[in-house]
Amino acid sequence: MASITIEGVAKRFGDVRALAELDLTVADGEFLALLGPSGCGKTTLLRIIAGLESQTSGRVLIGARDVSALPPRKRGLAMVFQNYAVFPHLTVYENVAFGLRMAKADKARIAAQVEKAAMLLHIEALLKRHPAQLSGGQRQRVAVARALAVEPAVLLMDEPLSNLDALLRLEMRAELKAVLAGAGTTTIYVTHDQTEAMGLADRIAVMHAGRIEQIGTPSDIYDRPATRFVGGFVGSPPMNFLELPVRDGKVDLGGFALPSPPGAGQKVLLGLRGEDVALSGPGEDGFTFTLKVAELLGPQILLTGTAAGGQPLRIVLAAAGPLPSLTPGSDISLKPDPARLRWMNEAGQALETRS
Amino acid sequence: MRESRALPYLLIAPSVIFLVGLFLIPLAQTAVLAFQENGGWGLGNVRRMADDLNFHDALANTFKVVLLAVPLQLALALGMTMMLRKVQRGRDLLVWVWSIPLGISDLAAGLVWLAILTDQGWLNSVLFQIGLISQPRAWLTYETPAALLAAIVVAEIWRATAIVFVILLAGVQLLPKEYEEAAEVFGATPWQRFTRITVPLLKPSIQTALILRTVLAFEMFAMALALGGRNFPVLVSEAFNAQYFSQDYGVAAAYAVLVMVISVAATLLYLVALRTPAEQRS
Amino acid sequence: MTSTIGSNRALFWTGVAVLCVWTLLPIYLLALGALGGRDIVAQWPKPFAPFGATFEALKTFLAIEGVWRAAWVSIQAAAMTMVMALALGVPAGYALARFRFRGAGAYRVLILMTRAFPVAILALPLTVSFIRLGVYDTPFGVALVHAVLATPFATLVCASLFMGIPKELEEAAWVFGCSRFTGFLRVVLPLALPGIAAASIFAFVLSWNEVFAASVLTVRQRTLTAYLLSVLSESPLHLQFAGGLVLIVPSVLFIFLVRRRLFAMWGIGNR
């Protein structure tokens, strides 16, 4: 087990800057997700940690060791690849045993470790088969078993579930969580799927265009996004952002007044999640939401429309609760949950709230 | 991975050294040797080559074979490729049978056709048995130059069509069927589909095949010797004679340079004539 | 309507059959001539089936010493060609497949040049160098020239093979304890082996069949092709036919072994 420290790591590919200077620390035993859209640099960062790419500047430390110049095999880590990278010419047993064989472990230890990993991943019955005879999900298990068998100090995972179909992904996610919790290995997990990150990670680092926008626990990220990007990326439907004018210490939300947050300028950005609004009762103050489309999504209804001067807004109401008129074009009066407002300046940076 | 930047260069180094030493340098040496005379530059070797008794015959024979055999081979190979597309079962077997000549040396091919065309060979046997001739007829003598030429052309076609065929086949595999299917939907006949869609799309493969085949054809040697012997001189056999029997290295080099120049000219011709402009590439 | 389709189909298959016979019959006839001994060569008109193919004739065939001795020289030269082509082509192919480096373009041009030039003719100037180096009239000298023919082909085939093996597999090997070299040995090579085997067989056949360079570069230790060429006008016909058969059979056999990869490889090697 070891911690991972990244100091000032940057990466250029010719003229293209893939990673700005990044600093990041992953505690011993922690599960950190690198979350972001494709092209944000998360995989590049992971590969730099693995030693598969070399950084343009900066250092990588595993535990107290500076591994920046070491090849992958000398860094004491294991990796699960997106396309599994299970060796086709070896049996499942030989695949899982591979790392141990390269480390010249003795036969008894190899057998014990392979058996342990196989049991954890429920592939004991497949040990004699070749990867070509396995399904995608089974190959994925082999890849994970191979990584766990070497009991690495650090485990790296590069979108391991993205090639599985949706149902399998859900099952594997739960299994992975159980298996990894048991092992307690320091893990970095790259994904573009925010539900995966939210479900698996102790902390999430949200990345965008080569920078880390925010690092925090899943609830930090969800409830208190630091930037507009983070708010918009995490959560489904994405967080809404309304540009609202500030006058005399009050924010004008389509006629509904809200106390202005500290540090607000002439305009302010209100981050509001679709589920954090409610219908205003009779006689209650509210702002007008003009409905365009209503979609029934099982237990919820997604309403898409405009508010506060024609700005797009998406809200979510419980299908079983009281519902307004759902005719397109109708006006609905809504009130926001004051505890769940996320204020940002015009640049998309969060403003600290009073409390 | 952090590795020596020189790694790729180290990996190709052995082959580069090898090719430079055993290809580029002898190439230069041949060129130099051809134009050297008494320790200086001169066209003496070239003149001796051109004055040689057999030179004009060799030049003419070589070109005759190339100009006759190569187009026929292209046509035949195209036909074979198209026919193969219609075969489902036994495809592999058919490809193998039709590619067998690929593995056959030009010398062996010459011997094969010698067995057929020699005075007491199988061709005469057949002709005799169906009553066309009453005694063995000579096909390969200097008295029958047209027959000899035809024999060599036929033998060359037999031997080397497989080369063109295999390259065209590889090219055809890469052609998506949609283009021809679209043409069919729009009313094109099989012949129109072939000439207007398939062949133009195959141009790169045809170019490759023609370059390779033509260069090899100008190098023709053992076939001519086996079937024609002294009656059918070609450029390379004359080069061989100069080198091996007359020990006239200069003239041999002159022949070599001539063959190289012709090959390069032909290659350039194909590259230009069968060029696919970038816009037309898929 | 059906009758035209039917007759079209009959025509088609007749054409296929004719082409097959056209390809195979001459070889069969050569085999007849070779195995029939002295008698069949003199026979007129010739039979089309091995009637009276005697054991005697076969023994004559097997006892043609010159042919077998020369075949042995050919085997040596071809084996050496194969080894050299692989030794040079495998690393070069790997470099082309996995690295983008300046000079890759120039290197490819060098390889293509060997196609555009009549390579065997280079045996002429090499005669003098070989005499000086002491490799004239040896299987090794012949193999050197043949390797010039075979290496570019081997390189391009290997490059294509390695490109078909996902880089992720090598990276997994590196993560789990391999250096680039051991990763290559343990992961890339086993997966590329069938293709490499096919390419080496092709290199072998290339050398086995080559006539001109082998004839120029040997005097006493002649390869089979050089030997047969030298006895073309003098030898009795049955010996020539026998030699031709010995020349053909291994090649055809080898091509059969690699038939599946045949046009894939040949198409690649000549792009």
Side-chain angles (χ1 to χ4, degrees), chain A residues 47 73 83 87 89 102, chain C residues 168-169 171 174 176 179 186:
Chain A
R47 288 168 63 83
R73 67 184 186 280
N83 290 310
F87 304 125
H89 60 297
M102 291 306 115
Chain C
E168 254 192 9
L169 291 177
E171 292 180 341
W174 299 341
F176 288 106
S179 64
R186 283 181 185 276

Side-chain angles (χ1 to χ4, degrees), chain B residues 3 9 15 92 103 120 208, chain C residues 46 102 107 180 251 260 270:
Chain B
E3 287 158 321
Y9 295 101
S15 55
D92 270 354
Q120 308 196 307
T208 306
Chain C
K46 292 237 187 317
R102 244 185 295 164
Y107 183 69
R180 194 182 266 275
S251 315
R260 287 198 201 286
N270 285 289

Side-chain angles (χ1 to χ4, degrees), chain A residues 273-289:
Chain A
R273 288 211 182 272
E275 66 264 25
D276 292 333
V277 292
L279 297 170
S280 43
E284 269 188 308
D285 210 0
F287 68 93
T288 314
F289 169 71

